[in-house]
Amino acid sequence: MENLSMEAIMGYVETYGVPLLKAILIYIVGAWVIKKIIKAVRKMFAKGTYDESLQKFLVNLISWALKIFLIITVISTLGVETTSLAAVIAAAGLAVGLALQGSLSNFAGGVLIMIFKPYKIGDLIEAQGVLGSVKEIEIFTTKLITPQNKLAIVPNGALANGNIINYTAEGKMRVDTVVGVDYGSNIKKTKEVLLEMLKANPKVLEDPAPSVNVEELADSSVNLAVRPYCKPEDYWDVYFATIEGTKEALDKAGIEIPYPHEVQINK
């Protein structure tokens, strides 16, 4: 009985133990090889003139493909037939595909983004109700850093199929502000004062030239559209400088900015 037990144990070891050890060894070596391959691919991309967004996307794609191949190899080593495995994977793939249609849509969206390049890493974009700078474009999602320094993760499927406003693409942005002046103010002088203020700001571009135009004859003020242009990265600096500079320039020139008044009548 003792000999039979030992023979049975040895049989189990030979049948299941050896393939299991091989599978573990293959996984360890395979994971190490994948790590080296990904490192080499990153170096290759870094030496080339590839777009940064495309680099990260392809690295993620290659990494996932190699990991899936490694898992299939490990399962095959355990004795699962390749044909049976393929059938199982096909059936599972169909079930998972139906269950994860959104994820597949996001993957397809990521591919479309890489092909048509509506934005790249570093661009300031507005999409799906989110405004932010593109930090990373992954297989399924795009990561944005908002002006409040928050991380926003937006699905690629929604981005590929929705409206995208890219503020960086043209290299210039217009800053829109409106200021109201008293009806008794000299409009020509007011425009000159505001234009001088804008041109004195080194972050305001000369081309296109800044403009000041009458936008509206409101109930108690003449409203002027003050519109300088700047680089996308200087937007907020120019925006706040324009508002503050407008107040200071008009005060210095003696031009009144009207504000609501309350009149009390006593009988």
Side-chain angles (χ1 to χ4, degrees):
M1 286 294 288
E2 202 173 308
N3 290 334
L4 288 174
S5 275
M6 185 59 70
E7 286 176 6
I9 291 170
M10 292 303 295
Y12 280 119
V13 169
E14 187 177 349
T15 305
Y16 301 106
V18 174
L20 180 61
L21 288 173
K22 283 183 180 179
I24 293 171
L25 183 61
I26 289 172
Y27 178 80
I28 293 171
V29 174
W32 180 81
V33 171
I34 290 173
K35 187 177 179 181
K36 292 295 181 182
I37 291 173
I38 295 301
K39 188 176 180 181
V41 169
R42 282 201 179 101
K43 284 185 178 180
M44 181 188 72
F45 283 146
K47 291 179 180 178
T49 55
Y50 302 97
D51 180 74
E52 186 182 358
S53 306
L54 182 61
Q55 289 182 36
K56 292 189 175 183
F57 183 84
L58 289 177
V59 167
N60 282 330
L61 191 59
I62 293 169
S63 177
W64 275 101
L66 290 174
K67 287 175 182 177
I68 291 171
F69 177 76
L70 175 61
I71 291 170
I72 292 173
T73 304
V74 169
I75 293 173
S76 301
T77 306
L78 291 173
V80 180
E81 293 182 10
T82 308
T83 52
S84 301
L85 182 62
V88 171
I89 290 174
L94 179 61
V96 172
L98 292 172
L100 301 177
Q101 290 182 26
S103 296
L104 294 176
S105 173
N106 291 332
F107 174 77
V111 173
L112 291 174
I113 289 169
M114 287 296 103
I115 293 173
F116 296 106
K117 297 182 179 179
Y119 56 82
K120 61 182 185 299
I121 291 176
D123 283 1
L124 177 65
I125 68 169
E126 183 177 354
Q128 300 300 310
V130 181
L131 171 69
S133 298
V134 180
K135 179 184 180 183
E136 193 170 347
I137 304 172
E138 297 184 336
I139 296 176
F140 300 107
T141 61
T142 293
K143 294 180 178 179
L144 305 177
I145 301 297
T146 69
Q148 296 81 22
N149 203 37
K150 297 177 181 178
L151 176 64
I153 301 175
V154 186
N156 285 336
L159 288 171
N161 294 303
N163 296 326
I164 300 173
I165 301 173
N166 191 326
Y167 293 103
T168 306
E170 298 300 319
K172 301 171 184 178
M173 288 182 66
R174 191 180 75 187
V175 181
D176 290 354
T177 60
V178 177
V179 60
V181 297
D182 188 80
Y183 265 96
S185 303
N186 185 311
I187 297 300
K188 184 177 180 181
K189 180 183 177 183
T190 302
K191 290 173 68 175
E192 289 175 354
V193 167
L194 293 176
L195 281 172
E196 286 177 10
M197 178 271 298
L198 294 174
K199 291 177 181 178
N201 188 338
K203 292 185 177 181
V204 171
L205 299 177
E206 295 180 4
D207 182 26
S211 65
V212 179
N213 297 288
V214 176
E215 181 182 69
E216 180 187 15
L217 300 176
D219 292 339
S220 58
S221 65
V222 178
N223 294 338
L224 293 95
V226 183
R227 294 175 174 174
Y229 286 82
C230 66
K231 295 179 180 179
E233 60 267 26
D234 294 331
Y235 179 86
W236 290 111
D237 290 340
V238 172
Y239 177 83
F240 292 122
T242 299
I243 293 176
E244 183 176 338
T246 295
K247 177 68 168 62
E248 292 176 348
L250 293 180
D251 286 349
K252 187 176 180 181
I255 299 171
E256 183 180 351
I257 299 175
Y259 54 90
H261 291 76
E262 290 185 3
V263 177
Q264 184 175 353
I265 301 174
N266 296 320
K267 292 184 179 181

